[in-house]
Amino acid sequence: EAGVAQSPRYKIIEKRQSVAFWCNPISGHATLYWYQQILGQGPKLLIQFQNNGVVDDSQLPKDRFSAERLKGVDSTLKIQPAKLEDSAVYLCASSLGGLAGDYNEQFFGPGTRLTVL
Amino acid sequence: QKEVEQNSGPLSVPEGAIASLNCTYSDRGSQSFFWYRQYSGKSPELIMFIYSNGDKEDGRFTAQLNKASQYVSLLIRDSQPSDSATYLCAVKGYGQNFVFGPGTRLSVLP
């Protein structure tokens, strides 16, 4: 079974530039998560999708971050414009979701390490 | 603001010893509790989860949950150098999202 795929693995940009990350979840996983993990901290949820609908985006800085999950499969996360404090690893995760969603394991992708100069 | 707290470490234990990792959480409505291991530069991977008070064992790992004290722990028996990593505690309420702690760095010394 293929895992969660993410690209690019690394990205270096200057502040005020824009950047986009891509995630392909495990086949059949209805729930997709984007997390931001700053060095030395635990992952912080940015947005959760159930199929192609947003379940929770309460911690997404909507003035600069956007995300979409068209057709309920792949997802993209965009930052425009980037700030220095956006330097972090952006993790995508997926899980089966559904009625047993609370006990479904999250599978994480390898992450995208973003450096904003 | 729901919070999950962990000692940042590093926690150093000799090879073969028991490593004890602790986690406290603020939301009494939390129902499921997860321990993830994260090697440096890698993504988190699930070790085990627990949702009932008491102990749950899986190989060398034992998770302990005390909801009254809002406390969850992970014991690693016969610690190996390959166990050296950051251990993340994550907490979830029913229908709510995961809240992760900052992680505890564990170093197992040969």
Side-chain angles (χ1 to χ4, degrees):
Chain A
E1 179 183 81
V4 177
Q6 289 188 249
S7 67
R9 293 294 312 278
Y10 305 91
K11 190 73 177 179
I12 300 174
I13 62 173
E14 295 188 349
K15 60 183 179 183
R16 291 188 290 273
Q17 286 187 323
S18 62
V19 64
F21 312 128
W22 173 82
C23 173
N24 182 245
I26 292 173
S27 177
H29 280 196
T31 306
L32 185 147
Y33 310 81
W34 282 104
Y35 289 90
Q36 179 192 59
Q37 187 174 23
I38 293 172
L39 187 65
Q41 299 182 18
K44 183 184 85 170
L45 180 72
L46 294 175
I47 189 167
Q48 177 188 348
F49 292 95
Q50 180 75 16
N51 296 309
N52 61 349
V54 175
V55 174
D56 186 347
D57 62 357
S58 57
Q59 297 193 94
L60 186 73
K62 298 179 186 64
D63 58 336
R64 298 184 301 106
F65 286 65
S66 64
E68 60 182 8
R69 190 184 185 196
L70 300 176
K71 301 180 182 178
V73 182
D74 293 8
S75 178
T76 56
L77 176 70
K78 297 178 182 178
I79 308 175
Q80 181 180 10
K83 293 185 175 181
L84 296 177
E85 58 260 38
D86 297 333
S87 293
V89 175
Y90 290 84
L91 294 164
C92 179
S94 71
S95 67
L96 282 170
L99 293 177
D102 277 55
Y103 308 114
N104 287 160
E105 178 179 353
Q106 281 185 96
F107 293 86
F108 284 86
T112 296
R113 183 176 298 277
L114 174 66
T115 302
V116 182
L117 303 176
Chain B
Q1 181 79 0
K2 298 169 186 173
E3 293 184 349
V4 177
E5 296 185 349
Q6 300 178 251
N7 290 328
S8 61
L11 172 66
S12 295
V13 300
E15 184 174 357
I18 296 175
S20 178
L21 304 161
N22 304 317
C23 172
T24 58
Y25 58 95
S26 63
D27 182 10
R28 284 195 171 275
S30 301
Q31 297 200 340
S32 46
F33 307 85
F34 302 77
W35 282 100
Y36 287 83
R37 177 176 61 200
Q38 187 172 29
Y39 291 112
S40 181
K42 302 294 185 183
S43 55
E45 53 181 342
L46 183 68
I47 298 173
M48 61 193 306
F49 68 87
I50 185 169
Y51 48 86
S52 298
N53 274 328
D55 295 359
K56 180 180 179 183
E57 188 174 317
D58 184 0
R60 296 187 295 114
F61 299 95
T62 299
Q64 299 176 316
L65 175 61
N66 183 326
K67 288 186 178 180
S69 299
Q70 296 176 243
Y71 175 89
V72 59
S73 66
L74 179 70
L75 299 178
I76 307 175
R77 289 181 300 281
D78 188 24
S79 296
Q80 301 297 309
S82 59
D83 295 325
S84 297
T86 295
Y87 289 80
L88 298 164
C89 172
V91 172
K92 193 178 190 302
Y94 185 75
Q96 299 176 356
N97 281 308
F98 292 84
V99 179
F100 282 82
T104 298
R105 274 195 301 138
L106 172 67
S107 178
V108 181
L109 307 174

